[in-house]
Amino acid sequence: MHVISRRRLREFYLEHANVIEALDDWFLTVSKSSWHNLIELQNIYPRAEAVSNFTVFNVKGNKYRLIASINYEKQIVYVKYVLTHAEYDKDKWKNDRYY
């Protein structure tokens, strides 16, 4: 999978240094993967779930949420949001036009 964009991950961990390793691990794992559907993805990330047009990953013991749009056909993962659990619960990310 081609991950777009790692910059969002870096921006997030500049404010939340305790998640650097978890986000780097996520990036490396996803970059080396080749999923064709959510079921295949869940073999690696069993708690990942589809929420509307996005896939939500729990990061670092569910303290953070990474929200991505995945095009399985083109093998592209678009990192849309990286949020604390509290930010995720406010549902502002659901205002995204692709939601």
Side-chain angles (χ1 to χ4, degrees):
M1 303 296 280
H2 178 69
V3 179
I4 302 173
S5 129
R6 192 171 196 178
R7 189 178 102 208
R8 280 209 172 95
L9 304 178
R10 289 184 185 131
E11 288 171 353
F12 187 78
Y13 61 60
L14 285 175
E15 294 182 32
H16 305 276
N18 66 330
V19 75
I20 293 172
E21 187 176 333
L23 288 176
D24 281 346
D25 287 347
W26 179 90
F27 178 84
L28 291 173
T29 300
V30 173
S31 296
K32 293 177 183 177
S33 298
S34 177
W35 302 311
H36 296 94
N37 55 51
L38 181 64
I39 305 281
E40 290 180 6
L41 180 153
Q42 288 174 327
N43 286 327
I44 304 298
Y45 293 103
R47 295 183 184 227
E49 61 184 344
V51 179
S52 187
N53 292 319
F54 295 127
T55 302
V56 178
F57 296 85
N58 295 327
V59 178
K60 194 164 172 89
N62 203 24
K63 290 180 81 173
Y64 303 98
R65 299 290 178 98
L66 188 150
I67 301 166
S69 175
I70 302 176
N71 185 321
Y72 294 102
E73 186 176 316
K74 292 182 180 180
Q75 294 289 290
I76 298 173
V77 176
Y78 300 92
V79 176
K80 299 288 283 182
Y81 305 97
V82 185
L83 306 169
T84 65
H85 195 91
E87 291 169 332
Y88 174 84
D89 285 344
K90 291 180 182 176
D91 287 341
K92 289 182 182 178
W93 62 275
K94 290 182 179 178
N95 294 328
D96 189 291
R97 67 182 182 178
Y98 294 107
Y99 178 79

